[in-house]
Amino acid sequence: MKHILFRLLAILVACTAVPAAQAQDPPNILWITVEDMSPNLGSYGDTQAHTPNLDAFAREGVRFARAFATAPVCAPARSTIITGMYATSLGTHHMRSVGWLPDAVRPFTHYLRAAGYYTTNNHKEDYNFETPPGTWDASSTEAHWRNRPDPDQPFFAVFNLFTTHESHVRAGPAYERDVADLPPALLKDPDTLTLPPYHPDVPAVRAAWARYYNVITKMDREVAALLDQLEDDGLADETIVFYFADHGVGLPRGKRWLYDSGLHVPLIVRIPERYRTAGQGTPGTVEEALVSFVDLAPTVLNLAGVDVPEHMQGRAFLGPDLTPPRRYVYAARDRMDERYDMQRAVRDERFKYIRYYEPFKPFYQYMNTPEQGVVMKALRQGAAEGTLPPAAERLMTPTKPREELFDTEADPFETHNLADEPAYRDVLERMRAAQNRWVEETKDVGLIPEPILRAMEEEADLPAYTLVRQQEVPFARMRDVALLWTEGPAAVPTLVEALQSAHAPVRYWAAVSLGNLGAKAHPASGPLTDALADPSPTVAIAAARALCRMDQPDEALPVLVQHLRGDRQWVRLHAALVLDEIDDQARPAIDAMKAEMTYRDDMLADGKYTVRVLNRALNELLGTDNEVR
């Protein structure tokens, strides 16, 4: 009956999604996703973790040793998971933002539904775009495969477990609720834990790591409860089960970072024998091949016997007719809440390369959310007292290197940068070239400043993905100009020329690069003054920043205040960030900054990101300690 129903539905919607040939009933598929968690499971070799249920699950399935998120934070990562496309291609790469999907791109559950699947999500979405109608049959705290109208209908069900989220690792009511039913003997003794070398070894940090391991123990029990429901329903032998995390641990230098601590995730897949392709799914095996989040959607469709749409950018890693394994995985970090910091990473099975497009910014920019945690407070205190361990101290510098290269086999914590070592020159150039190719081939819209990108979308009435494929957008030129300042004053004439580009993103990066050079770019002060009237407010703000860094704030400050008072959210944020950066030069603008310390219900998140930046700037200028949400 189940097979017949699936076939009839598939024929009816053949124009939408054409299922591949099925030799048997289609599998049910269950996703169990968890928040903010690195591979801290017993099955991954972490002896500090108490995860008996997931360890047993790993013995029944395949443990993927090299699975990586495409972003170290939830919304951009989930954007990729649900579409099978890089967030940096779709324009959904900032945390948080509201992107716009082109008509041809749908969440992969659309194709499953068209092929006869009942799809449910319980319950977090957080895709950085408005969920299109038809994505789910049900998406709520009540969504469950048990609610499908026909018990013979195949299902794809997602359960998002929130227990390990960073907010639950903090001491407080959420954490206390999570661990209330755990036997005291299972609660971790902070003094027995081994900490990573980039965290200070102080009691507050040890306590945070103990809480993290305790909520993992709780989560392990929640996973077991879901697996028990499958067994109780007699569906375990008909259901492929995926378990994975949305990115790495929710502590500083994990979540929001492109190190493995932010990107490496657990991924375990259990495939009933009847659905195994030859050589796949053998219980208790370990798969060493690289897997990226962009591969999850194609893999589910392939397992379900549904053709993978051509626009998807990943590859199926399970099921029939696989393409060759990938050589690299890629990841991106862009705006994290109120702070921009464009970073890109590429990793092979051994080496990790990180390109910092804004190395003039510190590793640890002040961000409201992580600063509330005890680990970030301990890092700040240790930096002030000069007591941090070397691996933590290197992250407290006011600037970053342009590039980092790590041998993850010899240096799993990624603390020894090999980028300047001659012995690794060939590796560096290979990985750098891979990153450059990826930026161009995927049309990485992270190179287009957020206010400019949104203005381009609005003007063309097209989503970013379509826009950059229909218009001439010089990705290589933007990338090169963004990095040109690293060549020093010799780059000034070329940057001044770039200030005249017809493309606003090129002009923006030219102004930023000149500002990074500071007084060394003084010959460009005239063209930068002219750029204060640029038709793009974002370029004008970047020019104002450059002039301030040349100690010429008089004409720049009014431009910053003008755009701070505007109605475009991301333009306002750019202006606020410059006012925060220029410190005492911003004093004449204090009254204007105070006046804009208001939440706006016409903006995403009530405009709180601009409020946060202004609050930080005013606290620094006035010696206050005001807190905002």
Side-chain angles (χ1 to χ4, degrees):
M1 174 65 183
K2 180 177 172 183
H3 177 62
I4 294 172
L5 175 64
F6 179 83
R7 276 301 192 185
L8 288 173
L9 286 169
I11 292 169
L12 287 172
V13 297
C15 61
T16 305
V18 182
Q22 293 278 343
Q24 57 186 337
D25 293 348
N28 303 312
I29 301 173
L30 170 63
W31 270 11
I32 303 174
T33 67
V34 299
E35 302 260 352
D36 300 13
M37 186 181 159
S38 298
N40 297 116
L41 302 173
S43 59
Y44 277 82
D46 190 335
T47 58
Q48 299 182 146
H50 181 77
T51 51
N53 298 297
L54 278 164
D55 297 345
F57 178 68
R59 291 191 292 271
E60 298 169 354
V62 179
R63 178 172 64 81
F64 289 82
R66 292 189 174 98
F68 294 90
T70 48
V73 71
C74 54
R78 289 172 181 269
S79 179
T80 292
I81 289 169
I82 197 65
T83 62
M85 301 186 69
Y86 293 108
T88 48
S89 291
L90 292 173
T92 55
H93 49 297
H94 293 296
M95 178 68 192
R96 286 188 163 79
S97 62
V98 180
W100 181 8
L101 291 184
D103 291 340
V105 175
R106 299 290 91 180
F108 73 86
T109 51
H110 277 248
Y111 312 116
L112 289 175
R113 292 188 72 223
Y117 272 78
Y118 179 79
T119 66
T120 68
N121 178 59
N122 189 329
H123 73 289
K124 182 175 180 177
E125 294 181 354
D126 201 14
Y127 305 137
N128 263 354
F129 55 78
E130 185 176 345
T131 305
T135 299
W136 302 104
D137 287 288
S139 181
S140 71
T141 56
E142 304 301 319
H144 202 292
W145 71 76
R146 289 174 170 171
N147 299 331
R148 64 198 192 281
D150 182 348
D152 289 328
Q153 184 178 6
F155 65 79
F156 173 77
V158 178
F159 286 83
N160 297 277
L161 305 182
F162 201 70
T163 311
T164 51
H165 188 266
E166 68 176 319
S167 60
H168 288 223
V169 174
R170 298 182 190 137
Y175 170 75
E176 296 301 332
R177 287 194 300 270
D178 287 338
V179 302
D181 62 346
L182 292 181
L186 293 184
L187 298 178
K188 291 296 176 183
D189 178 355
D191 292 336
T192 65
L193 298 177
T194 301
L195 303 184
Y198 45 77
H199 280 174
D201 190 352
V202 296
V205 175
R206 286 188 165 275
W209 275 96
R211 289 192 294 272
Y212 170 63
Y213 277 107
N214 290 339
V215 294
I216 287 175
T217 299
K218 170 66 173 180
M219 175 275 301
D220 181 72
R221 294 182 165 202
E222 294 172 337
V223 171
L226 287 169
L227 296 176
D228 286 346
Q229 290 178 32
L230 272 185
E231 291 283 354
D232 293 344
D233 292 355
L235 296 171
D237 290 336
E238 301 175 16
T239 305
I240 299 172
V241 182
F242 287 67
Y243 166 87
F244 62 95
D246 62 351
H247 52 74
V249 57
L251 292 171
R253 216 273 198 177
K255 183 177 183 177
R256 304 179 183 89
W257 294 79
L258 294 182
Y259 299 118
D260 278 7
S261 48
L263 297 173
H264 189 202
V265 297
L267 171 63
I268 305 170
V269 183
R270 186 179 72 184
I271 307 176
E273 185 173 3
R274 63 193 294 196
Y275 295 117
R276 293 176 198 158
T277 299
Q280 300 177 16
T282 304
T285 56
V286 177
E287 175 56 63
E288 299 287 348
L290 292 166
V291 173
S292 168
F293 273 6
V294 77
D295 301 330
L296 288 171
T299 298
V300 168
L301 294 179
N302 198 43
L303 289 169
V306 178
D307 289 344
V308 178
E310 291 185 3
H311 65 257
M312 287 191 176
Q313 295 169 312
R315 63 172 294 273
F317 57 87
L318 289 170
D321 303 322
L322 300 184
T323 57
R326 57 171 58 251
R327 186 178 185 186
Y328 301 111
V329 292
Y330 304 91
R333 166 182 167 153
D334 292 275
R335 177 172 54 77
M336 293 291 168
D337 294 340
E338 68 266 33
R339 301 285 176 175
Y340 292 94
D341 195 350
M342 183 180 174
Q343 306 173 13
R344 297 294 181 264
V346 56
R347 193 192 195 283
D348 63 16
E349 292 186 355
R350 178 176 176 181
F351 292 99
K352 161 78 71 60
Y353 170 85
I354 302 176
R355 161 64 80 178
Y356 295 105
Y357 282 81
E358 301 177 90
F360 51 90
K361 295 178 178 178
F363 281 103
Y364 282 125
Q365 291 192 81
Y366 186 96
M367 287 185 286
N368 217 49
T369 298
E371 294 290 342
Q372 296 172 13
V374 296
V375 177
M376 196 67 242
K377 291 177 180 177
L379 285 163
R380 297 289 186 203
Q381 181 178 348
E385 297 173 350
T387 59
L388 291 178
E393 187 177 13
R394 69 176 289 272
L395 299 177
M396 305 305 292
T397 54
T399 60
K400 301 186 290 291
R402 289 174 289 175
E403 301 171 298
E404 288 183 322
L405 179 70
F406 301 102
D407 181 345
T408 64
E409 290 183 2
D411 178 24
F413 288 110
E414 296 167 300
T415 62
H416 182 198
N417 184 12
L418 304 172
D420 293 329
E421 296 196 12
Y424 292 90
R425 186 71 184 177
D426 289 347
V427 176
L428 177 70
E429 292 179 353
R430 172 173 63 83
M431 303 293 277
R432 180 194 295 147
Q435 191 272 151
N436 287 340
R437 283 194 305 272
W438 181 76
V439 165
E440 294 185 47
E441 291 173 0
T442 64
K443 299 189 183 298
D444 182 348
V445 297
L447 283 164
I448 305 175
E450 188 171 18
I452 296 177
L453 179 64
R454 299 309 172 204
M456 290 170 64
E457 288 180 318
E458 184 177 325
E459 181 180 351
D461 194 25
L462 291 171
Y465 179 84
T466 306
L467 175 72
V468 300
R469 284 159 178 79
Q470 291 188 2
Q471 298 183 9
E472 179 191 355
V473 179
F475 285 94
R477 176 69 168 153
M478 290 187 291
R479 180 197 65 218
D480 293 345
V481 172
L483 302 172
L484 196 57
W485 68 277
T486 60
E487 298 180 9
V492 170
T494 305
L495 290 170
V496 169
E497 180 183 351
L499 268 180
Q500 310 306 316
S501 171
H503 299 279
V506 175
R507 300 197 303 274
Y508 167 82
W509 284 113
V512 168
S513 285
L514 289 166
N516 295 344
L517 290 170
K520 296 177 182 178
H522 188 270
S525 59
L528 285 167
T529 301
D530 293 340
L532 293 175
D534 193 279
S536 167
T538 314
V539 176
I541 291 167
R545 169 186 175 269
L547 289 169
C548 289
R549 288 178 62 87
M550 295 176 188
D551 200 24
Q552 300 178 44
D554 292 347
E555 293 184 68
L557 273 179
V559 172
L560 295 174
V561 170
Q562 172 193 345
H563 292 302
L564 178 66
R565 289 171 170 163
D567 291 326
R568 292 187 175 271
Q569 177 166 8
W570 308 120
V571 171
R572 295 179 75 240
L573 179 58
H574 272 244
L577 287 165
V578 174
L579 288 165
D580 184 32
E581 179 184 350
I582 62 176
D583 296 325
D584 280 346
Q585 288 181 332
R587 286 192 178 278
I590 284 178
D591 288 343
M593 294 161 69
K594 287 181 177 179
E596 297 304 318
M597 282 278 295
T598 56
Y599 296 102
R600 302 270 299 266
D601 60 10
D602 60 332
M603 294 182 176
L604 180 70
D606 297 328
K608 70 178 180 181
Y609 300 140
T610 298
V611 173
R612 287 178 176 182
V613 173
L614 292 176
N615 184 66
R616 170 66 174 172
L618 289 168
N619 280 342
E620 293 284 293
L621 290 169
L622 302 175
T624 53
D625 194 25
N626 185 46
E627 294 184 0
V628 294
R629 62 181 172 92

